Amino acid sequence: MTYVLLLEPNTLLAKTYTQLFEHVGYAVGHATGAQEALAIADKRTPDVVVLELQLPMHSGVEFLHEFRSYSEWLKIPVVVNTLSPPSRLAALYVALQSDLGVTAVLYKPQTSLQVLLRTMRQQLAQI
Amino acid sequence: MANASEGAGGDVDSLLLSVAEQLKIPLTVIARQAELGHMTGDGTLVDASTIRVQADAALQLVDSYLLGIRLLREQTELPLEPVSVSSLLVDVAHSLERFAEQYRVQLEVSIAGKYQPVMAHQQGLKAALVSLGFALVEAQAAQGTGAKRVTLAIHRTPHGLVTGIYGQYEELAAKQWRRALQLQTSASQPFHGLLAGSAAGLFVADAILRSMHSHLRPGRFAGQQGLATTLQPSQQLRFV
């Protein structure tokens, strides 16, 4: 069963995404912050990570630096699904994609559940 | 040199940006909830209560923002009147109840003792505390695992009646709050130690309180950290 690590600080949105993923047969580990997410990943290696960059305490970028520092998690696809608009992310794109291995960046308010799911499936198919 | 109206204009702009950023969250929750039901064909997955509470919270934020900018634009102060802060706090808790339930945060009100009325503007004070409450409940929900509790409390100090909202927030101290106020106009997460988003509710609350000769500041209550405002007791009624 595909295991999704969902890093989403808003617990209501997390509930909606979790319901969606479970509906299509995925298992979900949810964290509201970076430390908690690393602990969850440590217990069970995810097949894909869905990540909000705007997190309380440590940012999503800080999470990615830590996450990618472990060799066993280097190849895991990471889909960024964030409230940060593309205009704000422009300066980050190179770092996200080249240095931190982010495979897709989505703008959350304008990303439907269908698009999110399709993007995740595409990333999983490329492993 | 910037004059007062230019300064107010800057505050209005930064508040607007902050509120616009914040509104993305409830609107995204509502949109995705509606889509989930449609996509799965399972009506039971659509939580009508979540949609209603999120819509109400968004409307409340817009109303509080409008009150805040009107005060900033007009450079006016709210007329102060004697207000029973104990009753008002219970009223605020009632307004936050469903929102807190959605986020699985337990809401408590702590009013130990009797307090004389304070000089405030009833509608303004309620709007400020509700805005603050929405933000702090959301922040508490995102603070890792375990039981989550937010307390609305009043306590007396030599400076006045401190009225605030408290919880378990690791990064809520005077230094972080000052920095958040400075970053309000330039950062997408001005108070990243506390909130993932723009923290608009905190800034709107502060703007309204400033028009009542008060402001928000970090405080502690019964081992919890939070944001509070100090209100002056009504001297007139003290002797009645």
Side-chain angles (χ1 to χ4, degrees):
Chain A
M1 183 188 273
T2 299
Y3 180 53
V4 182
L5 172 57
L6 173 64
L7 191 32
E8 169 56 61
N10 186 285
T11 51
L12 298 182
L13 271 174
K15 186 179 158 193
T16 304
Y17 289 132
T18 299
Q19 285 172 326
L20 169 75
F21 298 152
E22 288 176 349
H23 181 80
V24 297
Y26 295 167
V28 184
H30 168 237
T32 54
Q35 295 286 1
E36 190 189 354
L38 291 167
I40 289 173
D42 204 30
K43 281 185 192 155
R44 181 176 172 183
T45 300
D47 297 298
V48 60
V49 178
V50 176
L51 170 70
E52 169 58 85
L53 294 176
Q54 294 187 12
L55 301 172
M57 307 289 281
H58 303 288
S59 72
V61 172
E62 286 173 296
F63 163 80
L64 278 170
H65 276 291
E66 183 71 16
F67 187 73
R68 292 303 195 204
S69 70
Y70 298 91
S71 57
E72 65 269 36
W73 295 340
L74 269 175
K75 302 286 182 196
I76 295 170
V78 173
V79 175
V80 165
N81 185 34
T82 182
L83 288 169
S84 297
S87 56
R88 274 212 172 126
L89 286 181
L92 264 181
Y93 272 128
V94 174
L96 285 174
Q97 294 182 331
S98 306
D99 305 339
L100 297 169
V102 169
T103 45
V105 180
L106 303 171
Y107 179 42
K108 193 186 286 174
Q110 290 174 18
T111 299
S112 66
L113 297 178
Q114 276 189 333
V115 169
L116 174 63
L117 211 50
R118 190 168 64 229
T119 306
M120 289 167 65
R121 283 175 174 150
Q122 284 168 352
Q123 302 309 319
L124 285 163
Q126 287 172 15
I127 298 175
Chain B
M1 189 197 303
N3 62 31
S5 64
E6 281 168 348
D11 289 343
V12 170
D13 289 346
S14 64
L15 265 187
L16 177 59
L17 287 173
S18 183
V19 168
E21 284 291 331
Q22 183 67 37
L23 285 175
K24 286 182 194 172
I25 296 173
L27 293 176
T28 305
V29 171
I30 291 167
R32 298 292 90 83
Q33 266 285 310
E35 189 193 352
L36 182 69
H38 182 71
M39 193 177 158
T40 59
D42 183 354
T44 62
L45 289 180
V46 180
D47 187 346
S49 171
T50 296
I51 291 176
R52 184 190 153 191
V53 169
Q54 289 295 298
D56 282 345
L59 289 169
Q60 178 69 51
L61 180 63
V62 170
D63 273 344
S64 298
Y65 162 74
L66 289 173
L67 178 64
I69 57 162
R70 185 167 59 80
L71 296 167
L72 283 168
R73 263 212 182 118
E74 295 170 4
Q75 296 280 295
T76 54
E77 291 164 355
L78 287 171
L80 304 185
E81 59 197 357
V83 171
S84 164
V85 73
S86 307
S87 307
L88 190 126
L89 212 58
V90 171
D91 201 16
V92 169
H94 186 66
S95 299
L96 297 174
E97 208 171 8
R98 286 199 180 126
F99 188 80
E101 248 174 51
Q102 292 283 324
Y103 279 100
R104 295 184 181 176
V105 171
Q106 188 188 339
L107 212 57
E108 288 183 1
V109 180
S110 177
I111 307 170
K114 287 186 175 175
Y115 299 98
Q116 66 264 51
V118 294
M119 291 309 290
H121 181 275
Q122 177 126 357
Q123 185 204 351
L125 184 56
K126 185 181 172 189
L129 290 174
V130 170
S131 283
L132 175 64
F134 281 141
L136 290 183
V137 164
E138 206 177 314
Q140 189 66 97
Q143 299 272 323
T145 54
K148 285 151 188 175
R149 181 167 58 98
V150 162
T151 306
L152 288 75
I154 311 170
H155 68 276
R156 196 177 279 113
T157 71
H159 306 291
L161 292 183
V162 177
T163 305
I165 303 181
Y166 309 86
Q168 295 300 327
Y169 307 109
E170 288 174 31
E171 297 268 329
L172 214 173
K175 188 178 165 191
Q176 280 86 1
W177 174 235
R178 276 198 303 273
R179 188 164 164 73
L181 288 169
Q182 287 166 357
L183 290 175
Q184 187 189 346
T185 52
S186 57
S188 56
Q189 285 183 266
F191 207 161
H192 69 92
L194 183 72
L195 275 157
S198 72
L202 307 182
F203 302 127
V204 167
D206 190 55
I208 296 171
L209 289 169
R210 283 180 189 280
S211 66
M212 288 187 275
H213 304 290
S214 191
H215 61 277
L216 280 180
R217 61 170 180 76
R220 295 180 73 86
F221 179 82
Q224 292 182 300
Q225 306 80 39
L227 285 163
T229 186
T230 304
L231 302 163
Q232 297 310 312
S234 162
Q235 299 296 328
Q236 187 185 352
L237 290 185
R238 183 179 287 180
F239 302 106
V240 172

